[in-house]
């Protein structure tokens, strides 16, 4: 339940499944599922599949081979998974002929394409470009950045101009890996990438907290410089004091990396260093980068200096005569800092400037469409073109208004439009129902989930949805709904574009129990539903690797504390019981809601990240709740709060329980606790 005790597998069941987590390497694919308990309902015929996974977990090669043979001999409908486990486990020593035979056994299946992903990585490491060139065009998912780097390398060797895509892919690389490193090294040797691109990559990596990737990049220019990156990453303050200089461009680049690294832990110290020496010593573009990095970290810590620091960064960049090339995430924090600036009144021109500097893809995010519209509207009154800016604002809001997400609902209310639900689609035809019922991939996915291999089942399910139109997606979603596999029901229905079945997207399992329990303790049932939908997608046996369990994803310690608080005779084995879990979760939610004065936004943040954090986040200027939510420093909690409140608002419309208004649910401005309010309950876990 609490982010500060690390992430929940409720996220794997719901949020992360919706994001369709990819992975590189066979064992990474299996790691989460191997840690999960197997279903007690697994049928005897499923034993070979269960045994295969267990053997893989234990690294029991002989047991894995025996289980695979048993599954294959019995023609088990999930035999391909045992086959996949066995071959992926020994992939480094496999030969192309074995892979070809596997593909022939399981054509057009998820395991065929996923093993091809694994094999492409292995072929890249082996530098087997002949087989890589044959395999890559057959890779249907094409969702692995390292594989894409290998492919771009081959395109370059074939004489194609890949510089722009290769640079974008390299900049987006998260960790040091072989494929992107080899691609970059080849393009540096070919003089397609120069020192400017390498140092830019290093800045992106340090900005993202990835010093290994920065060191790997700089090594393309100089092993000595790469060693210095390692030194400054370990202790930036010491390195700045003893070793830093700006006598040459490489030296200035290293000093900039050190300042950025220092800012990650102590932005105020980094700002002081800039003020006292480095702002004038560094070239304008690098000074701008350093100030932007300081400002980003200040904004994440909600320090009041952040907006001014971003302004200094912009001024330094303008003196350099070039547009800033900062990452989108840094620009996002520029927006957030501007929303908090000037005692919560906001610096709307700075909001608009930051959004306009983002990549086109990022500018299409509903959050930035909404805040740009708000900025234009606020700027209009003091502009000579008040009518034009107001019209542009309304056009932006109209483009997202009414869509089923947080900012779509806000946009509709800003335009004075009521929140309405989309019309129900035409009933599914028998043919559409039968197509979903007889789809082999969907069938395998449900079987995998039934025997406890949920992670594999989710991946099989999502692969099977590829290429489906709205009607096919609705039929697939309905199959999951009928089977009460609620996460697949919701997430599949969420994919439709034109035909929206609100009953699939916002189901009401356990309605009698949820409503009765919420009413009993004075909670809004739609708020409870909004939270459960985000926490567990109504999966009763959802459990994280740290122990958060059940519908409401309760941590064991929190469950024990809450049970004592409400006088429930409780033992740990009761945590997954639906009634007990619901009682504990709602009781804890009511306690945090009361502690935050009825603010659903702060209570949701407390439920996800622990109460101490939103207590800190409310300090500073009083903000409108949407701006406060956007400024939550943790990306998971920021997304969580917005989705819980959006969910609750839609559930209010679905049930007709109250007039659906997101703004009403968000409530009054959020700022420091009123002096007349009761003291915070610091015993809340």
């Amino acid at each position: 339940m609490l982010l500060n005790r690390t992430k929940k597998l409720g996220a794997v069941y719901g949020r992360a499944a919706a994001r369709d987590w990819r992975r590189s390497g066979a064992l990474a694919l299996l790691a989460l599922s191997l840690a999960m308990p197997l279903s007690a309902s697994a049928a005897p015929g499923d034993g070979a599949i269960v045994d295969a996974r267990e053997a893989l977990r234990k690294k029991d090669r002989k047991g894995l081979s025996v289980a695979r043979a048993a599954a294959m001999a019995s023609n088990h409908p999930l035999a391909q998974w045992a086959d996949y486990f066995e071959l992926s486990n020994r992939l480094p020593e496999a030969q192309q002929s074995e892979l070809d035979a596997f593909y022939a056994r399981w054509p057009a299946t998820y395991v065929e394409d996923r093993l091809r992903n694994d094999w492409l990585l292995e072929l890249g490491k082996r530098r087997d470009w002949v087989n890589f060139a044959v395999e890559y065009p057959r890779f249907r998912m094409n969702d692995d950045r390292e594989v894409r780097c290998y492919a771009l390398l081959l395109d370059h060797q074939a004489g194609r101009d890949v510089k722009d895509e290769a640079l974008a892919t390299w900049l987006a690389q998260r960790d040091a890996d072989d494929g992107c490193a080899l691609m970059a090294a080849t393009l540096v040797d070919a003089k397609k990438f120069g020192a400017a691109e390498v140092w830019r990559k290093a800045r992106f990596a340090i900005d993202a907290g990835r010093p290994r990737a920065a060191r790997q990049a700089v090594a393309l220019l100089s092993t000595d410089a790469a060693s210095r990156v390692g030194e400054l990453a370990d202790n930036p303050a010491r390195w700045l004091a003893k070793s830093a200089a700006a006598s040459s461009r490489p030296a200035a680049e290293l000093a900039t990396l050190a300042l950025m690294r220092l800012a990650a832990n102590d932005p105020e110290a980094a700002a002081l260093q800039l003020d006292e020496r480095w702002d004038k010593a560094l070239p304008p573009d690098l000074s701008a980068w350093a100030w932007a990095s300081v400002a980003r970290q200040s904004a994440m810590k909600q320090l009041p200096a952040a907006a001014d620091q971003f302004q200094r960064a912009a001024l330094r960049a303008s003196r350099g005569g070039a547009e800033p090339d900062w990452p989108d995430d840094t620009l996002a924090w520029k927006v957030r800092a501007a929303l908090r600036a000037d005692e919560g009144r906001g610096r709307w021109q700075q909001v608009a400037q930051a959004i306009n500097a983002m990549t086109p893809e990022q500018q299409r995010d509903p959050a930035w469409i909404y805040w740009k519209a708000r900025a234009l509207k606020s700027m209009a009154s003091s502009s000579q073109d008040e009518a034009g800016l107001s019209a542009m604002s309304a056009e932006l809001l109209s483009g997202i208004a009414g869509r089923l997400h947080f900012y779509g609902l806000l946009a509709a209310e800003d335009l004075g439009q009521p929140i309405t639900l989309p019309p129900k689609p035409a009933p599914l035809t028998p043919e559409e129902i039968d197509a979903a019922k007889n789809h082999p991939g969907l069938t395998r996915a449900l079987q995998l989930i039934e025997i406890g291999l949920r992670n594999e089942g989710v991946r099989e399910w999502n692969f099977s949805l590829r290429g489906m139109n709205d009607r096919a997606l609705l039929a697939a979603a309905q199959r999951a709904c009928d089977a009460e596999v609620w996460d697949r029901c919701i997430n599949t229905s969420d994919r439709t574009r034109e035909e929206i079945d609100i009953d699939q997207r916002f189901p009401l399992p356990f309605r009698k129990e949820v409503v009765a329990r919420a009413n009993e303790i004075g909670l809004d049932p739609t708020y409870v539903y909004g939270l459960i939908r985000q926490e567990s997608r109504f999966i009763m046996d959802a459990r994280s690797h740290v122990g958060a369990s059940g519908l409401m994803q309760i941590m064991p310690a929190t469950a024990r504390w809450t049970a004592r608080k409400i006088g429930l005779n409780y033992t740990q084995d009761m945590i997954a019981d639906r009634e007990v879990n619901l009682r504990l979760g709602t009781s804890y939610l009511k306690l945090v809601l009361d502690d935050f004065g009825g603010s659903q936004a702060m209570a949701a943040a407390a439920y996800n990240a622990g109460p101490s954090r939103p207590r800190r986040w409310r300090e500073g200027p009083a903000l409108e709740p949407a701006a406060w939510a956007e400024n939550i420093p943790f990306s998971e909690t920021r997304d969580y709060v917005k989705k819980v409140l959006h969910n609750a608002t839609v559930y209010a419309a679905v049930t007709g329980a109250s007039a659906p208004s997101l703004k009403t649910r968000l409530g009054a401005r959020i700022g420091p606790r009123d002096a007349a309010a009761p003291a915070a309950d610091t015993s809340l876990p």
Side-chain angles (χ1 to χ4, degrees):
M1 182 171 71
L2 304 181
L3 182 68
N4 55 317
R5 296 167 202 174
T6 137
K7 299 190 176 180
K8 305 174 291 292
L9 200 64
V12 175
Y13 289 168
R15 296 187 290 278
R19 293 193 296 267
D20 292 340
W21 280 4
R22 72 164 182 86
R23 64 103 184 93
S24 297
L27 294 180
L29 164 68
L30 305 170
L32 284 170
S33 64
L34 291 175
M36 294 302 298
L38 299 179
S39 171
S41 61
D46 301 324
I49 311 303
V50 173
D51 289 347
R53 192 193 71 170
E54 183 64 8
L56 181 63
R57 185 185 69 82
K58 294 179 177 179
K59 297 181 170 47
D60 177 3
R61 180 174 289 203
K62 181 178 178 181
L64 186 49
S65 178
V66 169
R68 174 206 175 266
M72 299 288 285
S74 65
N75 291 319
H76 192 282
L78 299 177
Q80 59 187 251
W81 276 94
D83 201 11
Y84 169 73
F85 295 156
E86 193 275 334
L87 183 50
S88 64
N89 187 54
R90 54 182 181 84
L91 206 59
E93 62 202 49
Q95 299 302 314
Q96 184 66 48
S97 58
E98 294 178 89
L99 275 295
D100 292 339
F102 182 92
Y103 302 149
R105 286 194 296 274
W106 314 116
T109 62
Y110 172 79
V111 294
E112 179 215 9
D113 209 51
R114 182 47 64 199
L115 193 63
R116 179 171 284 112
N117 186 175
D118 304 335
W119 187 233
L120 284 165
L121 291 170
E122 178 64 27
L123 291 172
K125 290 179 175 63
R126 295 182 186 186
R127 310 301 191 245
D128 183 350
W129 305 124
V130 173
N131 281 314
F132 187 99
V134 173
E135 290 278 7
Y136 183 71
R138 301 171 181 170
F139 182 28
R140 292 185 295 279
M141 284 183 285
N142 201 12
D143 58 352
D144 190 303
R145 184 171 286 120
E146 187 177 5
V147 169
R148 184 60 190 150
C149 283
Y150 283 133
L152 286 167
L153 170 61
L154 262 65
D155 286 345
H156 162 73
Q157 291 174 338
R160 301 184 185 92
D161 181 6
V162 300
K163 179 180 177 180
D164 290 344
E165 185 183 351
L167 181 59
T169 304
W170 192 34
L171 292 177
Q173 171 203 24
R174 293 184 60 82
D175 293 308
D177 64 49
D178 178 72
C180 294
L182 180 64
M183 175 199 73
T186 303
L187 291 177
V188 167
D189 288 344
K191 303 190 183 312
K192 301 296 183 182
F193 287 172
E197 287 80 14
V198 172
W199 286 112
R200 186 181 179 202
K201 166 61 182 177
R203 280 181 255 125
F204 267 64
I206 291 292
D207 201 53
R210 309 284 180 176
R212 285 185 64 247
R215 183 172 181 172
Q216 185 187 67
V218 174
L220 299 175
L221 300 177
S222 161
T223 55
D224 179 64
S227 176
R228 292 176 182 271
V229 170
E231 294 171 12
L232 68 85
D234 289 339
N235 194 327
R238 183 176 64 191
W239 197 87
L240 284 164
K242 295 185 175 182
S243 305
S247 54
S248 65
R249 181 70 189 199
E253 291 278 10
L254 289 168
T256 303
L257 296 183
L259 288 163
M260 294 170 65
R261 187 69 173 167
L262 178 62
N265 291 320
D266 193 345
E268 291 171 307
L272 184 62
Q273 289 258 14
L274 278 162
D275 274 329
E276 292 182 345
R277 177 183 179 187
W278 296 105
D279 184 38
K280 294 183 177 63
L282 293 173
D285 64 317
L286 294 183
S287 176
W289 256 92
W291 275 117
S293 186
V294 168
R296 172 186 174 177
Q297 297 299 331
S298 294
M300 292 175 70
K301 296 181 187 304
Q302 301 188 340
L303 299 177
D308 287 339
Q309 290 166 347
F310 271 119
Q311 189 63 31
R312 291 189 70 169
L315 287 172
R316 293 297 285 162
S318 67
R319 290 176 191 169
E323 290 295 316
D325 59 349
W326 307 329
D328 279 335
D329 194 51
T330 296
L331 294 167
W333 280 107
K334 183 177 180 179
V335 174
R336 296 177 184 123
L339 293 175
R340 290 180 61 88
D342 299 337
E343 294 302 313
R345 294 186 299 275
R347 296 184 185 176
W348 295 104
Q349 186 172 7
Q350 195 167 333
V351 169
Q353 289 171 344
I355 295 170
N356 287 338
M358 293 176 179
T359 59
E361 179 183 7
Q362 191 71 5
Q363 289 188 47
R364 291 191 288 272
D365 186 291
W368 310 131
I369 292 173
Y370 177 80
W371 289 116
K372 182 176 180 179
R374 288 284 305 276
L376 293 174
K377 184 177 180 180
S378 295
M379 293 159 57
S381 59
S382 58
S383 169
Q384 294 181 341
D385 187 18
E386 180 176 359
L389 290 180
S390 296
M392 289 172 61
S393 172
E395 182 179 359
L396 287 171
L397 291 174
S398 296
I400 61 172
R403 296 186 187 175
L404 289 176
H405 51 61
F406 181 81
Y407 284 112
L409 300 189
L410 278 183
E413 293 196 60
D414 280 1
L415 293 171
Q417 301 172 1
I419 294 176
T420 58
L421 299 178
K424 188 154 180 80
L428 294 167
T429 66
E431 292 76 17
E432 290 168 335
I433 294 171
D434 286 345
K437 181 179 179 181
N438 297 322
H439 192 291
L442 299 181
T443 299
R444 282 193 298 271
L446 293 177
Q447 290 172 327
L448 286 161
I449 291 170
E450 176 65 21
I451 65 173
L453 276 67
R454 173 168 288 278
N455 191 47
E456 290 87 348
V458 165
R459 292 172 183 275
E460 178 93 60
W461 183 276
N462 289 340
F463 180 80
S464 300
L465 301 181
R466 296 170 67 257
M468 288 188 180
N469 61 24
D470 278 4
R471 297 296 296 179
L473 288 169
L474 290 175
Q478 193 58 50
R479 183 176 182 188
C481 298
D482 292 342
E484 298 185 358
V485 182
W486 297 112
D487 63 327
R488 296 305 91 209
C489 165
I490 294 167
N491 290 16
T492 304
S493 194
D494 268 345
R495 293 178 179 232
T496 63
R497 298 295 186 92
E498 303 297 331
E499 299 200 46
I500 297 172
D501 189 330
I502 206 71
D503 294 332
Q504 290 180 346
R505 293 193 182 192
F506 293 87
L508 292 158
F510 326 121
R511 185 171 187 177
K512 181 179 178 180
E513 298 96 319
V514 171
V515 172
R517 177 59 189 160
N519 289 337
E520 179 185 346
I521 60 173
L523 275 175
D524 175 2
T526 62
Y527 183 48
V528 177
Y529 263 112
L531 186 139
I532 296 175
R533 185 182 188 270
Q534 190 59 24
E535 279 288 349
S536 68
R537 289 290 200 258
F538 305 100
I539 299 172
M540 289 186 292
D541 62 351
R543 192 178 75 182
S544 80
H545 63 284
V546 294
S549 299
L551 284 178
M552 299 195 71
Q553 286 290 278
I554 305 181
M555 292 291 295
T558 304
R560 291 192 297 271
W561 182 91
T562 306
R564 288 194 301 269
K565 189 79 171 178
I566 65 176
L568 175 65
N569 187 15
Y570 171 77
T571 57
Q572 191 60 42
D573 60 346
M574 299 165 65
I575 196 168
D577 178 86
R578 185 174 75 198
E579 182 177 347
V580 172
N581 192 277
L582 186 61
R583 184 176 178 188
L584 292 172
T586 53
S587 295
Y588 181 80
L589 180 60
K590 181 65 163 64
L591 289 167
V592 294
L593 185 65
D594 289 346
D595 191 59
F596 286 99
S599 168
Q600 293 188 13
M602 284 194 286
Y607 198 95
N608 180 260
S612 63
R613 289 192 171 97
R615 289 190 196 118
R616 294 198 303 271
W617 298 338
R618 72 183 303 178
E619 297 303 319
L623 300 174
E624 62 171 286
W628 182 85
E630 188 57 55
N631 267 277
I632 291 173
F634 296 166
S635 58
E636 181 187 323
T637 305
R638 182 168 61 248
D639 182 65
Y640 178 91
V641 169
K642 290 188 284 189
K643 285 182 176 176
V644 166
L645 295 180
H646 160 259
N647 292 346
T649 304
V650 176
Y651 272 119
V654 168
T655 62
S658 59
S661 168
L662 179 54
K663 289 192 172 185
T664 299
R665 192 173 293 277
L666 284 165
R669 294 173 76 86
I670 296 176
R673 186 182 292 265
D674 193 297
D681 182 358
T682 56
S683 70
L684 279 166

